[in-house]
Amino acid sequence: MKIIKNKIFWGVYLLPVILLSACKKTFLEKVPTDAIVDASFYKTDDQVLAGTALLYSKVWFDYNDKASYNLGDFRAGTAFSAYNDRGNVLFNTTGDNPDNSAAWRAFFIVVAQSNLTRQNIETYAGDGVSATVKKQAIAETRFMRALAYRFLVMNWGEVPVIENNTKLLLDTSLRKNTVPSVWKFIINDMRAAANDLTATPVRPGRLTKWAAEAMLARFYLNRAGVGSNSAGQRNQSDLDSAKYFADRVIKQGGYALLPNYANLFLFPYDNNTESIFSLQWVFSPGAWGTQNSTPAYLAYSGDIANGDGWGGDKSATWWMMKQYDGFTVNAADNELKGRTLDQRLKATFMLPGASYPEITQSIPGGEQRLVFPFTGSDNNFLSIKKYVTGKAKDNAGLAAQQYYGHDTYMMRLAEMYLIYAEAELGNSSSTTNAVAVDYFNKVHMRSGLPAFEDPLTLDVIFKERVLEFAMEGMAWYDLVSMHYYNAQKAYSILNAQDRGLFFTKPDQFPNPTQWTLTKTPWATTDRVINANSGNFLLPIPTPELDQAPNLKKPAVDYYAQ
């Protein structure tokens, strides 16, 4: 196979079958890299599908590795790290922050690889490739690029839209594009993907038109507040589109909620009936980047891991625990007490004395089924459970240090139900619409809670989304979506959160019937943040501005250039 040297955006390169390690360069540093341009590939349907396969895994590796929870949960206040990732926890991320650069790079890797894969297919696909598969493969690249740009515009605001990375070799005038025009580009891409993707997956885990329509429901709901002229008002046409696509996916997509919420995150759960789109990781020791590394950073200890387990300082926040029905807070807001019927708590975070028989725990002299320890005297952590599946023996042998095989949800059916409810609510203060309430309760009651019988409000739906999707990298984007049309409400939610240390005591150990949470009295600093218009969005990384100084100029409409 003939290989030539080429320079491409990001210094990242996608081979049809083997994706080499990504280069950690600034996104405009044009270093020589290898790219297959040989016409001997892309000659069959199998080869073309092989060429897009890694768009489901390795190109998303840097996002999944740490940026997913760093942005989606730490920044949102659903969880925190006491000693690491503090830029997002405390809302003081700067352009020089390495986590900021890593997240920025992660999404532009997806953009670059999607562009290059599409270019290869359009250039080299032979007559032996069916029209259906060629359309499917190009649609996959557009889907992934649109999703990456959704993350970019919601984290950094004005960003440059790039459709052809090789053109950057001669382009020194790259500018940011306006938020409305980036959103137009995103939705155009996803609509094109929806038109060309097949209704059923061509291979297990592959994208379908229903995945694209589900993303359109999300995108229209997100965009509805862009350019709002008054607080609380969203674009009705976008709300209607969000409801339309959500309802289509619910009624025609063939998906179904799993009866037990916790089963969504037990081994093996990949590509279940609720999963609309997941990143497709594989347990592949030695093939770095195609595996799921995130559990290594979330598991609280090596006692339940595989030579990793570095998440001992990660925890639910005080604010997050206040969202669960059944816990009562005292007047001083320094003590929470009670328990909840909401099964999502145990499936998302670990409380002292809670039992997880699916995970093996090492103890002195042997092993046992996991009982989350009760330690400390004035502070401890409610560690992350979601996506933590234990040792190799708990995963049919398919786990090793930083190598796990289970997938990452990017879209679940539950979100379609809640999108429909929020879009139906729209600009009203409340709704009793029967379909919206029914859809809401399908999610709410699956968690073990009784039917919600009061009118639905934005606060009720927002809370439900926080509870349903905590530690799935979602809550931050709900706040950004809110910020588009009611910035003060988003700031108010964030600034009312307590992100500091606390102590959780069970009434008995093991098998508690309730817990008492008390704020750590000596931990008086860094408990709250000051979210405002100056720090809500992330700053473009300084190295990128140094490489492309035109990014400092005012943004332009992508479609007016």
Side-chain angles (χ1 to χ4, degrees), residues 192-414:
N195 286 336
D196 289 344
L197 288 168
T198 55
T200 56
V202 295
R203 300 279 170 83
R206 289 284 185 144
L207 292 169
T208 66
K209 68 173 296 179
W210 303 116
E213 292 200 10
M215 284 296 174
L216 283 170
R218 176 192 283 176
F219 292 176
Y220 277 115
L221 186 67
N222 292 157
R223 192 181 73 166
V226 172
S228 176
N229 294 320
S230 58
Q233 295 299 303
R234 290 185 269 185
N235 180 280
Q236 189 60 50
S237 177
D238 281 350
L239 293 171
D240 291 342
S241 293
K243 185 171 68 170
Y244 168 80
F245 283 112
D247 202 40
R248 277 176 54 85
V249 175
I250 290 167
K251 291 178 177 176
Q252 300 180 50
Y255 304 101
L257 294 179
L258 293 191
N260 187 323
Y261 180 84
N263 288 348
L264 285 163
F265 305 96
L266 300 182
F267 176 84
Y269 55 77
D270 296 346
N271 300 320
N272 57 63
T273 61
E274 187 170 337
S275 177
I276 298 176
F277 167 49
S278 297
L279 299 180
Q280 302 289 305
W281 306 111
V282 294
F283 175 65
S284 52
W288 184 261
T290 58
Q291 86 285 16
N292 189 345
S293 62
T294 307
Y297 306 107
L298 299 183
Y300 75 87
S301 169
D303 293 346
I304 62 168
N306 300 279
D308 43 44
W310 305 314
D313 70 329
K314 295 178 176 66
S315 171
T317 61
W318 179 270
W319 176 82
M320 183 70 212
M321 291 304 299
K322 287 172 65 176
Q323 306 310 303
Y324 291 100
D325 292 344
F327 285 92
T328 302
V329 61
N330 66 1
D333 192 29
N334 60 12
E335 181 183 277
L336 273 172
K337 189 172 184 178
R339 61 178 298 152
T340 183
L341 296 176
D342 195 329
Q343 299 167 6
R344 294 173 293 197
L345 173 55
K346 185 173 184 287
T348 306
F349 301 105
M350 299 183 186
L351 276 70
S355 298
Y356 296 92
E358 71 272 15
I359 293 179
T360 301
Q361 178 185 23
S362 297
I363 59 174
E367 295 178 333
Q368 67 177 17
R369 299 292 89 193
L370 171 62
V371 177
F372 187 62
F374 175 45
T375 59
S377 59
D378 60 5
N379 71 282
N380 50 15
F381 297 103
L382 304 186
S383 297
I384 312 303
K385 170 58 174 72
K386 193 173 283 187
Y387 289 125
V388 173
T389 57
K391 298 178 181 291
K393 64 175 62 179
D394 304 317
N395 292 270
L398 305 178
Q401 182 172 332
Q402 290 186 274
Y403 284 87
Y404 297 85
H406 42 279
D407 295 342
T408 302
Y409 293 113
M410 300 294 274
M411 175 68 73
R412 293 197 279 112
L413 177 62

Side-chain angles (χ1 to χ4, degrees), residues 348-561:
T348 306
F349 301 105
M350 299 183 186
L351 276 70
S355 298
Y356 296 92
E358 71 272 15
I359 293 179
T360 301
Q361 178 185 23
S362 297
I363 59 174
E367 295 178 333
Q368 67 177 17
R369 299 292 89 193
L370 171 62
V371 177
F372 187 62
F374 175 45
T375 59
S377 59
D378 60 5
N379 71 282
N380 50 15
F381 297 103
L382 304 186
S383 297
I384 312 303
K385 170 58 174 72
K386 193 173 283 187
Y387 289 125
V388 173
T389 57
K391 298 178 181 291
K393 64 175 62 179
D394 304 317
N395 292 270
L398 305 178
Q401 182 172 332
Q402 290 186 274
Y403 284 87
Y404 297 85
H406 42 279
D407 295 342
T408 302
Y409 293 113
M410 300 294 274
M411 175 68 73
R412 293 197 279 112
L413 177 62
E415 187 178 355
M416 292 297 97
Y417 287 126
L418 297 180
I419 284 175
Y420 184 97
E422 185 173 346
E424 172 61 35
L425 171 70
N427 293 313
S428 303
S429 59
S430 65
T431 183
T432 57
N433 176 272
V435 176
V437 171
D438 177 59
Y439 283 174
F440 177 90
N441 272 324
K442 287 184 185 300
V443 177
H444 186 73
M445 295 176 68
R446 193 260 298 266
S447 72
L449 295 170
F452 190 86
E453 297 180 348
D454 295 329
L456 296 180
T457 66
L458 181 62
D459 289 343
V460 167
I461 296 170
F462 174 78
K463 175 182 174 180
E464 194 70 22
R465 288 182 62 95
V466 168
L467 294 168
E468 179 71 17
F469 301 114
M471 291 312 300
E472 293 183 55
M474 296 275 283
W476 170 243
Y477 303 100
D478 292 343
L479 287 163
V480 177
S481 187
M482 180 186 296
H483 183 265
Y484 281 143
Y485 65 94
N486 195 339
Q488 290 305 314
K489 184 175 180 67
Y491 300 150
S492 177
I493 291 171
L494 288 163
N495 294 335
Q497 295 173 343
D498 191 301
R499 302 179 175 207
L501 299 176
F502 57 91
F503 182 62
T504 303
K505 181 179 180 180
D507 63 343
Q508 61 185 36
F509 185 94
N511 302 319
T513 63
Q514 65 175 9
W515 293 264
T516 300
L517 289 66
T518 308
K519 289 183 182 178
T520 303
W522 52 262
T524 57
T525 61
D526 295 340
R527 300 201 73 95
V528 296
I529 61 171
N530 178 25
N532 55 66
S533 60
N535 64 9
F536 185 79
L537 294 178
L538 292 167
I540 293 178
T542 301
E544 311 299 349
L545 295 177
D546 292 341
Q547 287 289 319
N550 278 347
L551 293 179
K552 299 176 184 178
K553 295 181 178 180
V556 295
D557 187 321
Y558 180 69
Y559 295 94
Q561 297 182 78

Side-chain angles (χ1 to χ4, degrees), residues 114-132:
S114 298
N115 286 339
L116 290 166
T117 304
R118 178 182 178 181
Q119 182 178 326
N120 283 341
I121 293 168
E122 291 178 334
T123 303
Y124 302 113
D127 294 337
V129 178
S130 67
T132 298

Side-chain angles (χ1 to χ4, degrees), residues 4 6-9 14 16 35-38 41-42 51-52 55 111-125 134 137-139 141-142 145 162-169:
I4 68 167
N6 195 9
K7 295 181 179 181
I8 57 174
F9 180 84
L14 183 65
I36 290 182
V37 296
D38 190 1
F41 204 73
Y42 301 108
T52 60
L55 294 179
V111 172
Q113 303 290 22
S114 298
N115 286 339
L116 290 166
T117 304
R118 178 182 178 181
Q119 182 178 326
N120 283 341
I121 293 168
E122 291 178 334
T123 303
Y124 302 113
K134 184 175 181 180
I138 291 173
T141 69
R142 299 191 75 159
R145 182 173 67 182
I162 299 164
E163 294 191 71
N164 187 331
N165 296 85
T166 57
K167 287 183 177 179
L168 292 175
L169 295 169

